[in-house]
Amino acid sequence: MRHGARSVLKWNLVLDENHGPQNGGCKDCRGVLTWETKTRTLTKNEEFFAFGHVGRFVPRGSHVIESSEVPGLPSVAFLRPDGRKVAVCCADKETAFALKDGSRNAKVTVPAGATATLLWS
């Protein structure tokens, strides 16, 4: 969504631990959930949590706003219709950064494997 998209579609809802079934295309894509065939369990992937955060904190009518990219921390920021701002980010490894908005700033650390939502006025 950082680069002008107006919506997001995750084609694969559930794939197995071998990224299947497949019909061509992406050979190592993962689903929102992974079905472990041997243990017969579902694992929630980071996309599951990212969609949850966006669905909960980014209401209809929000707009993507410019934000800096932090290496190793995929993120996107929005301006909500109520005037508050929200940023959603996912970390593969623990990542610390400074969230700056005008003259205000906050130090933030996102733990490894976590999805974080930051909401401010």
Side-chain angles (χ1 to χ4, degrees):
M1 295 189 75
R2 284 184 74 74
H3 304 289
R6 295 191 59 163
S7 64
V8 173
L9 170 68
K10 183 67 175 165
W11 186 260
N12 297 312
L13 182 58
V14 181
L15 294 177
D16 67 19
E17 66 273 11
N18 298 310
H19 313 289
Q22 292 182 15
N23 64 354
C26 183
K27 302 292 185 208
D28 61 354
C29 291
R30 66 177 176 204
V32 174
L33 302 166
T34 297
W35 175 249
E36 304 289 341
T37 55
K38 291 179 182 170
T39 61
R40 301 180 59 79
T41 58
L42 280 174
T43 301
K44 297 172 184 173
N45 296 322
E46 70 181 49
E47 292 86 355
F48 175 90
F49 297 103
F51 277 126
H53 285 247
V54 170
R56 170 104 161 87
F57 293 99
V58 183
R60 184 180 303 267
S62 298
H63 299 279
V64 175
I65 56 176
E66 184 177 349
S67 60
S68 299
E69 295 187 50
V70 176
L73 189 72
S75 64
V76 63
F78 301 88
L79 176 61
R80 296 167 34 127
D82 64 7
R84 294 189 289 174
K85 295 175 184 172
V86 62
V88 179
C89 51
C90 303
D92 287 335
K93 62 180 182 175
E94 183 175 290
T95 305
F97 65 98
L99 176 65
K100 297 179 182 179
D101 186 9
S103 63
R104 300 171 15 177
N105 65 65
K107 293 182 180 180
V108 178
T109 300
V110 181
T115 298
T117 298
L118 309 164
L119 178 65
W120 70 99
S121 297

